């Protein structure tokens, strides 16, 4: 259930930091500025609202953010990582829940002046100090969390992205391709590592088309360009097969023969590998 006995990873570390940020944006800053226990956040003002209520508020605000992102962009951001695992652990083990403060005088002495002001504000509103703090906590927990939800979306993918990039060959594209292909290649790689396989497949075809247009000084479309390149010898041997496969897979996606949601990780990486090899060979010795 929780992280205590699991190997720490970048993904889990990022999610824990986001858990803390969702509860109180000042906590990560405090943790990074001072070598404090990250779970100390459970022993502060947030403790004035029951952990079960905190968790429900956080779940609702996260759901609101996910629904807004999905409604506006069709992006599904809900991943498989456990959210707010520390709170859930406390709820499962009530004996571990820290004591809660109801009186500012019993709280940490370093905040005496601030607590005095807050106590006066609570008195002016005719409520107890605990009620005053609980109200602020609920308001904080209920704030919009679009940015956190988006960060969780990327946190869930960070290790997969790193693994995907490690699998690429060590070709230095900055020295092999002209400037006009830098942006298309960059976007293609980004879409592959993020799992946007349909988009990446189309971009592979677009990259080959632009490369052949540049090398042949032609504005023809991909099919005509491949035929012309074969006739004048620009494409020969295995490169003819590579170009045909790139064209066929691009067309399958563009024309609906290959559904976006049916494209596999292996399928698109094979296509990207073909594109990288073919384009780098086409430009070999041509870029200063």
């Amino acid at each position: 259930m929780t992280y205590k006995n699991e190997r720490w990873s970048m993904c889990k570390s990022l999610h824990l930091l986001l858990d803390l940020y969702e509860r109180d944006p000042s906590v990560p800053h405090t943790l990074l500025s001072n070598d404090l226990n990250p779970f100390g956040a459970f022993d502060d003002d947030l403790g004035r609202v029951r952990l079960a209520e905190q968790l429900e508020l956080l779940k609702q605000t996260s759901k609101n953010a996910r629904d807004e992102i999905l409604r506006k962009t069709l992006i599904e951001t809900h991943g498989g990582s456990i959210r707010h695992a520390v709170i859930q652990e406390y709820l499962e083990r009530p004996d571990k829940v820290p004591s809660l403060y109801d009186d500012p005088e019993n709280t940490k002495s370093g905040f005496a002046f601030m607590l005095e002001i807050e106590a006066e504000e609570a008195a002016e509103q005719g409520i107890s100090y605990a009620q005053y703090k609980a109200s602020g906590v609920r308001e904080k927990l209920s704030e919009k969390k679009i940015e956190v939800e988006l960060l969780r979306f990327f946190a869930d993918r960070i290790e997969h992205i790193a693994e995907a990039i490690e699998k690429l060959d060590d070709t230095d594209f900055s020295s092999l391709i002209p400037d006009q292909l830098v942006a298309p290649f960059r976007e293609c790689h980004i879409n592959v590592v993020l799992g946007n396989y349909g988009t990446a497949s189309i971009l592979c075809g677009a990259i080959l088309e632009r490369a052949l247009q540049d090398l042949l000084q032609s504005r023809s479309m991909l099919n005509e360009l491949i035929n012309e390149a074969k006739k004048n010898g620009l494409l020969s041997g295995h490169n003819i097969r590579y170009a045909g496969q790139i064209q066929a897979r691009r067309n399958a996606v563009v024309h609906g023969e290959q559904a976006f949601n049916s494209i596999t990780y292996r399928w698109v990486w094979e296509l990207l590998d073909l594109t990288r090899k073919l384009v780098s060979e086409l430009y070999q010795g041509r870029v200063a």
Side-chain angles (χ1 to χ4, degrees):
M1 170 62 186
T2 62
Y3 300 150
K4 277 199 169 181
N5 297 318
E6 298 179 25
R7 182 181 66 84
W8 280 96
S9 65
M10 175 65 76
C11 177
K12 290 174 183 173
S13 298
L14 288 172
H15 275 292
L16 176 58
L17 189 66
L18 291 170
D19 287 346
L20 295 173
Y21 181 86
E22 278 195 282
R23 299 184 74 234
D24 185 347
S26 67
V27 170
H29 172 75
T30 302
L31 293 174
L32 295 171
S33 303
N34 308 285
D35 189 19
L36 299 177
N37 176 3
F39 304 132
F42 288 88
D43 200 30
D44 63 9
D45 293 334
L46 289 174
R48 300 176 189 282
V49 176
R50 291 182 305 110
L51 293 179
E53 184 181 353
Q54 289 186 41
L55 187 59
E56 286 307 309
L57 285 169
L58 289 166
K59 284 182 177 179
Q60 186 58 51
T61 52
S62 293
K63 181 181 182 303
N64 292 343
R66 288 197 304 273
D67 289 347
E68 182 172 349
I69 293 170
L70 182 62
R71 184 175 67 253
K72 293 178 176 178
T73 68
L74 302 181
I75 295 173
E76 174 57 71
T77 59
H78 191 276
S81 299
I82 298 171
R83 301 184 181 207
H84 305 290
V86 179
I87 296 182
Q88 295 187 49
E89 181 180 12
Y90 276 127
L91 290 173
E92 291 172 358
R93 302 182 60 190
D95 57 306
K96 296 298 181 182
V97 178
S99 59
L100 307 182
Y101 303 114
D102 291 324
D103 188 336
E105 292 183 1
N106 292 330
T107 317
K108 299 172 184 176
S109 59
F111 301 101
F113 180 69
M114 180 183 70
L115 294 174
E116 184 179 336
I117 293 176
E118 290 178 342
E120 290 176 0
E121 291 179 353
E124 289 175 1
Q125 295 179 31
I127 58 177
S128 70
Y129 182 78
Q131 289 173 321
Y132 171 83
K133 294 303 292 183
S135 174
V137 169
R138 291 190 185 96
E139 183 178 349
K140 185 183 298 182
L141 295 175
S142 299
E143 289 175 349
K144 257 193 171 185
K145 301 214 165 31
I146 292 286
E147 73 281 9
V148 176
E149 190 62 29
L150 288 171
L151 284 172
R152 288 191 187 278
F153 176 75
F154 289 107
D156 280 332
R157 288 159 176 75
I158 191 66
E159 290 170 354
H160 173 70
I161 290 172
E163 179 185 357
I165 292 175
E166 286 173 356
K167 288 181 177 178
L168 293 174
D169 61 66
D170 289 328
T171 303
D172 180 3
F173 277 84
S174 63
S175 63
L176 286 175
I177 61 173
D179 291 342
Q180 64 264 33
L181 288 184
V182 170
F185 255 118
R186 180 187 298 122
E187 291 197 17
C188 187
H189 285 110
I190 288 173
N191 277 284
V192 171
V193 298
L194 289 180
N196 302 327
Y197 299 154
T199 302
S201 301
I202 294 170
L203 280 170
C204 284
I207 287 169
L208 177 58
E209 184 173 83
R210 292 192 182 194
L212 292 176
Q213 285 176 340
D214 175 46
L215 293 169
L216 295 170
Q217 291 297 291
S218 168
R219 300 308 298 170
S220 298
M221 296 296 99
L222 185 55
N223 185 56
E224 290 78 11
L225 289 165
I226 290 174
N227 289 331
E228 185 178 346
K230 287 191 289 187
K231 287 178 183 177
N232 70 12
L234 181 62
L235 285 175
S236 60
H238 63 267
N239 281 342
I240 294 176
R241 185 175 73 256
Y242 287 176
Q245 290 180 14
I246 294 168
Q247 179 191 21
R249 293 196 184 190
R250 190 284 306 261
N251 288 348
V253 177
V254 170
H255 300 301
E257 297 166 19
Q258 182 83 38
F260 269 59
N261 58 6
S262 72
I263 301 173
T264 65
Y265 173 86
R266 181 176 179 178
W267 195 88
V268 77
W269 274 105
E270 287 177 351
L271 181 59
L272 178 61
D273 185 52
L274 290 176
T275 306
R276 286 164 59 93
K277 288 177 178 176
L278 177 53
V279 173
S280 61
E281 288 185 22
L282 287 173
Y283 277 100
Q284 191 170 14
R286 297 175 184 267
V287 178

